[in-house]
Amino acid sequence: MQPSNQPYGPQQMSYGDGPATDEAPPAPRLDTARLWAGGVMTAGVAGLTAVGAVLMVRGVLGIAVFAPEGDGAEGDGSTGLLAAGAAATALAATALLHVLILSTPQPVRCFACIIALVTAAIVLLPFRTSTGLEPKVGSGAVYLAIGAAVGSLLSAVARGATRRAA
């Protein structure tokens, strides 16, 4: 072995100087059944999160959200509509995630950004109304809980439903 003229030892190849290949990295394989099963489960969790958040805000904190104060901790029919809307939102988010996985290079990161922005917009919507501050904060907290549940669960579902091809 001959001594190197380099002050720090023999020169190594830099990161991009490897052998050139025409092969692209393998595309991720999507398990569609697993993605949609996770999406349906997320829809159920989103609906339960909506009900639980309303119970917390109305029953524990005593803030009348999504129904008049006289309707008790459970609220009225609007609580069921909120739960159904949360479940439908989770299914729509699953469809968006499916499209992103098939079309974008970083689908989970892109999905997380979209969910964060949509959740922020929905949380801020009650603050445009003329009601008191407590109902605004309570409604925003319910929306935040739903958005966090949908975003975190579907991000995990996406990672479990995609595998790198060998």
Side-chain angles (χ1 to χ4, degrees), residues 67-87:
E69 197 169 322
D71 284 334
E74 298 83 27
D76 62 1
S78 64
T79 304
L81 288 175
L82 178 68

Side-chain angles (χ1 to χ4, degrees), residues 17-108:
D17 293 343
T21 63
D22 292 334
E23 295 179 26
R29 288 191 302 182
L30 174 63
D31 186 345
T32 307
R34 193 173 201 164
L35 175 71
W36 281 96
V40 169
M41 292 297 110
T42 300
V45 170
L48 291 172
T49 300
V51 171
V54 168
L55 285 172
M56 173 67 105
V57 170
R58 289 182 66 83
V60 176
L61 301 177
I63 301 171
V65 292
F66 304 111
E69 197 169 322
D71 284 334
E74 298 83 27
D76 62 1
S78 64
T79 304
L81 288 175
L82 178 68
T89 299
L91 292 175
T94 304
L96 171 67
L97 182 57
H98 192 163
V99 169
L100 290 173
I101 289 171
L102 296 176
S103 63
T104 61
Q106 295 284 331
V108 176

Side-chain angles (χ1 to χ4, degrees), residues 1-11:
M1 187 160 150
Q2 293 184 336
S4 171
N5 292 338
Q6 300 293 327
Y8 301 106
Q11 185 175 4

